[in-house]
Amino acid sequence: MTIREITLDELNPEEFIAQQVETVSSTVGDGRAINALSGGVDSSTVTLLGHKALGDRLLTVFVENGIMRKEEPQRVVERFEALGVPVELIDARQGFFAALKGLTDPEEKREAITQTFYKTVFGKLVKESGARFLLHGTILTDVDETVAGIKRQHNILTQLGIDTEEAYGYQVIEPLLQLRKPAVRVVAKALGLSEAVYNRMPFPGPALAARVIGEVTPERAETVREATAIVEEELADTGAFQYLAILHQDKVTGMRAGKRDYGSQIEVRCWESADARTGSPTRLPFDILERLADRITSKVPGVVSVTYNVTKKPPSTIEAV
Ligand code: XMP
């Protein structure tokens, strides 16, 4: 099935919101729905659309999977509670790390995250809450890249022929399927979300697991989380499309206090891009790069090397896994 895009030029945000609220209302009827809020612009938009349509018949959850950014779960819950949308924080860290244990292949890691999220965590929540619908923030670009076989975006289910009713026990509703990111930002703004949300830089569904090469253990997730926090702080004023830290699998010889220190490598990426389909590295000033290297090697335990990616997409991709 081809999905008809609503382009930025065509989009009338108020009309779009009214239509989607109506569709969600009529699909769910007098039943209940669940939605997972991750704090990104897509899921934040869907949360507000769903809340408008269903009020307290929408159960919004934030799944703490152990691979979110530093302090993110609490921050997101507080932000939405301030908007009058209650969010339930679900601690699923153990389940995710158990599913990721021993996996190094990128697609196997994605599959483990997908299954844990949709089957284990949501399957259970749906049963407990009596909801029959999951509201989902899938956008058109997620579908394109998955269907093209570039990367499996973790939120793509029906477009891969997965019958969610049969596989997981609920039906998926995807109000943003006809939009790309710039159009979602316009809808988010029209819904009254703050600029910090509607202009938020993209973050992948598989979270920091998309930035850990090799096995994702709690310790390795912590390393990339700390490095990410420093990168986000240092590069916040660059205006770049997206910036991130990647933890490499290979170790390298370094030195500390006059002794050999065989440690980890962090790669920093900072992208100029319009829509993530192509991209080029930002020409960062060398003093920023140097400060990043100094902060990461001194504050993140075990890291002895920091590199900067200078490759374009393609052939690179924005994330590493
Ligand atoms: P890539 O790495 O495919 O990323 O160039 C394109 C954009 O999509 C964001 N994003 C994801 N990337 N898996 C990914 O690899 C996902 O499930 C996913 N979800 C979102 C990514 O951060 C970049 O902006």
Side-chain angles (χ1 to χ4, degrees):
M1 181 188 73
T2 45
I3 301 162
R4 196 187 73 76
E5 177 177 357
I6 301 175
T7 62
L8 198 53
D9 286 345
E10 281 173 296
L11 178 72
N12 174 331
E14 284 73 28
E15 234 170 62
F16 178 86
I17 291 167
Q19 270 166 8
Q20 294 307 321
V21 166
E22 167 56 30
T23 306
V24 171
S25 275
S26 59
T27 311
V28 177
D30 55 9
R32 291 167 62 81
I34 291 197
N35 85 296
L37 173 65
S38 68
V41 62
D42 305 339
S43 74
S44 297
T45 303
V46 163
T47 300
L48 283 198
L49 281 175
H51 192 71
K52 258 181 180 288
L54 305 172
D56 59 9
R57 287 183 295 116
L58 177 71
L59 170 63
T60 298
V61 299
F62 184 103
V63 179
E64 160 58 302
N65 51 15
I67 43 179
M68 299 310 270
R69 281 171 290 181
K70 197 170 176 176
E71 292 160 11
E72 185 77 351
Q74 294 71 20
R75 203 177 6 226
V76 174
V77 171
E78 280 164 19
R79 177 178 288 150
F80 276 80
E81 293 199 330
L83 291 171
V85 180
V87 182
E88 197 175 315
L89 188 59
I90 307 231
D91 185 356
R93 286 177 289 187
Q94 260 193 333
F96 278 90
F97 284 121
L100 286 164
K101 198 170 165 54
L103 301 184
T104 54
D105 176 78
E107 292 299 315
E108 283 180 18
K109 288 185 340 195
R110 283 163 192 277
E111 178 65 14
I113 292 169
T114 300
Q115 290 302 333
T116 310
F117 200 81
Y118 293 104
K119 197 168 181 174
T120 320
V121 177
F122 273 96
K124 185 162 169 264
L125 273 174
V126 161
K127 264 200 203 110
E128 287 169 359
S129 67
R132 293 218 12 258
F133 299 89
L134 177 71
L135 278 184
H136 218 197
T138 322
I139 66 169
L140 195 49
T141 318
D142 299 338
V143 180
D144 288 347
E145 293 217 338
T146 303
V147 174
I150 297 167
K151 278 183 191 181
R152 170 166 177 171
Q153 307 274 322
H154 98 303
N155 52 1
I156 299 299
L157 304 165
T158 42
Q159 291 81 13
L160 287 175
I162 297 170
D163 178 342
T164 57
E165 190 83 62
E166 196 181 302
Y168 310 127
Y170 51 80
Q171 203 177 311
V172 173
I173 306 174
E174 297 173 310
L176 309 182
L177 205 54
Q178 292 176 276
L179 307 183
R180 294 191 190 276
K181 199 72 104 189
V184 180
R185 295 194 197 282
V186 172
V187 173
K189 187 175 178 187
L191 280 165
L193 284 160
S194 66
E195 187 179 357
V197 178
Y198 70 72
N199 264 344
R200 203 160 191 209
M201 86 175 154
F203 186 69
L208 296 174
R211 302 174 179 178
V212 173
I213 302 175
E215 188 180 0
V216 185
T217 61
E219 297 71 30
R220 301 193 77 222
E222 189 57 25
T223 301
V224 86
R225 180 165 27 246
E226 287 300 320
T228 301
I230 295 171
V231 169
E232 289 196 357
E233 227 179 273
E234 290 290 343
L235 302 186
D237 294 333
T238 57
F241 175 81
Q242 199 169 354
Y243 31 89
L244 50 130
I246 292 159
L247 174 61
H248 279 252
Q249 189 165 23
D250 289 342
K251 292 199 161 191
V252 290
T253 300
M255 57 186 290
R256 239 182 254 278
K259 286 211 178 104
R260 175 187 151 93
D261 184 2
Y262 193 53
S264 303
Q265 305 184 67
I266 289 286
E267 175 188 332
V268 176
R269 295 183 179 187
C270 182
W271 293 102
E272 298 304 312
S273 175
D275 57 11
R277 284 189 284 184
T278 58
S280 56
T282 305
R283 293 181 171 227
L284 291 176
F286 210 86
D287 57 342
I288 294 187
L289 292 172
E290 228 167 32
R291 203 162 55 234
L292 277 170
D294 288 346
R295 280 190 69 188
I296 293 171
T297 49
S298 63
K299 299 286 181 218
V300 187
V303 177
V304 297
S305 166
V306 175
T307 58
Y308 184 58
N309 173 61
V310 292
T311 319
K312 293 189 175 78
K313 171 182 179 174
S316 179
T317 54
I318 289 186
E319 307 290 342
V321 170

